[in-house]
Amino acid sequence: TAYFLYPNLEYACASGMSFLALDTKGDLARNYGTIASQCYGYQVAVIDLRNPTKSDGFNLLHLVNKYMDLFKEHPDTLLYKAKAERYAKITAKTIITSGLEKTDFGQNQYFFDAAEGILTASILLVAEFCPPGERHIVSVFKIIQELMAPVPGEKGRNQFQDLMDLLPPTHKARWFAGAALNTSDQAMASVMSTVLSRLNAFLDSELEQVLCFDSTMNAERFAAEKSAIFLILPEEDQTKNFMAGLMIQNL
């Protein structure tokens, strides 16, 4: 830490590059967060999974929500809609493939690709239709879980398919979900289960204190301004380690 990590953080600060530092005890954030902020004019965010109630927020849907709101205000500006869709796709791909290698897919490639489509569609629907305080990844999980229920009186049809039918034919959420919608009911159930299994990692009351609140830092700001993110991962609880890979891929 003293002879390798601190000199590299100092070098990053001196040259004005943004950085993400993984921290197990919180020392880096306490010692170098202050230096980066006060001496070098950095924007600093501390994602503290050791003390989530004292952490800054990190809403994975932050940029999707931002551009969806801008598109609602300026419906003629296609760029905003395109950016919302792009960030929804990136977020979905990151969640579905996080921690997996290409060799892990094998013959299940279709299910992972279709799961990405379902998750992208659900993220877009949450960003477009949910009230401001509920536009986060936990809402996406709840919606997918509830919509897996079968439609009463219609064998082999679930409520997600009913919801898609309510959307206009040109709505992109309907297009993204197309691979799963146009298959057998058994394959559709498998795809939905794949999505839920990948989202299970976010079901943690402590983690929700971080993921359900708007971000002080996002990928665009990280790229455009001098920014430092300190991610504090408790070394005794390895169930939260996936957040490191998720944030690296996301940024």
Side-chain angles (χ1 to χ4, degrees):
T1 300
Y3 290 98
F4 181 79
L5 188 53
Y6 282 164
N8 274 284
L9 291 179
E10 185 76 41
Y11 181 76
C13 288
S15 53
M17 69 172 81
S18 293
F19 61 88
L20 166 67
L22 305 185
D23 190 356
T24 54
K25 296 180 178 67
D27 295 351
L28 291 185
R30 282 190 293 274
N31 297 338
Y32 245 88
T34 309
I35 292 171
S37 173
Q38 294 182 2
C39 302
Y40 291 98
Y42 269 64
Q43 304 290 331
V44 175
V46 180
I47 313 300
D48 190 349
L49 301 184
R50 190 178 281 283
N51 300 295
T53 53
K54 297 178 182 176
S55 171
D56 289 329
F58 189 75
N59 185 350
L60 291 166
L61 273 58
H62 180 83
L63 288 172
V64 185
N65 296 338
K66 172 186 170 182
Y67 284 106
M68 188 62 77
D69 290 344
L70 286 169
F71 178 65
K72 285 179 182 176
E73 289 173 27
H74 310 281
D76 297 330
T77 309
L78 193 64
L79 176 67
Y80 294 143
K81 185 184 181 187
K83 283 198 170 187
E85 289 167 2
R86 185 176 74 183
Y87 286 124
K89 283 194 286 185
I90 290 171
T91 304
K93 188 170 192 68
T94 304
I95 290 169
I96 296 296
T97 62
S98 180
L100 298 175
E101 300 293 334
K102 287 277 185 189
T103 51
D104 294 334
F105 295 155
Q107 293 180 333
N108 295 321
Q109 182 72 49
Y110 162 77
F111 291 104
F112 286 104
D113 288 344
E116 273 181 43
I118 289 279
L119 187 51
T120 304
S122 303
I123 287 171
L124 286 173
L125 291 175
V126 165
E128 187 174 352
F129 297 113
C130 282
E134 294 179 16
R135 298 190 299 175
H136 46 68
I137 200 69
V138 179
S139 291
V140 175
F141 176 89
K142 285 163 67 179
I143 280 176
I144 293 174
Q145 187 182 44
E146 287 171 16
L147 293 178
M148 278 186 76
V151 176
E154 291 191 46
K155 190 179 178 184
R157 187 174 176 81
N158 64 30
Q159 293 184 18
F160 191 89
Q161 290 164 311
D162 263 14
L163 176 63
M164 291 296 115
D165 285 347
L166 294 174
L167 297 173
T170 55
H171 199 289
K172 283 292 170 64
R174 194 166 177 168
W175 293 11
F176 285 126
L181 295 176
N182 298 307
T183 187
S184 67
D185 53 321
Q186 194 172 358
M188 174 77 176
S190 297
V191 170
M192 300 279 277
S193 300
T194 301
V195 180
L196 286 181
S197 69
R198 300 303 288 163
L199 289 173
N200 263 341
F202 299 104
L203 298 184
D204 182 309
S205 296
E206 284 191 321
L207 202 54
E208 286 170 20
Q209 304 306 308
V210 176
L211 296 171
C212 295
F213 295 94
D214 273 343
S215 311
T216 50
M217 185 69 64
N218 61 61
E220 283 187 338
R221 193 175 182 188
F222 186 81
E225 301 174 21
K226 293 193 299 185
S227 308
I229 301 177
F230 294 91
L231 175 60
I232 302 173
L233 296 161
E235 56 193 336
E236 71 280 357
D237 180 8
Q238 295 189 2
T239 60
K240 296 189 173 66
N241 285 358
F242 78 97
M243 280 295 291
L246 197 66
M247 283 182 68
I248 290 166
Q249 277 185 279
N250 199 268
L251 292 170

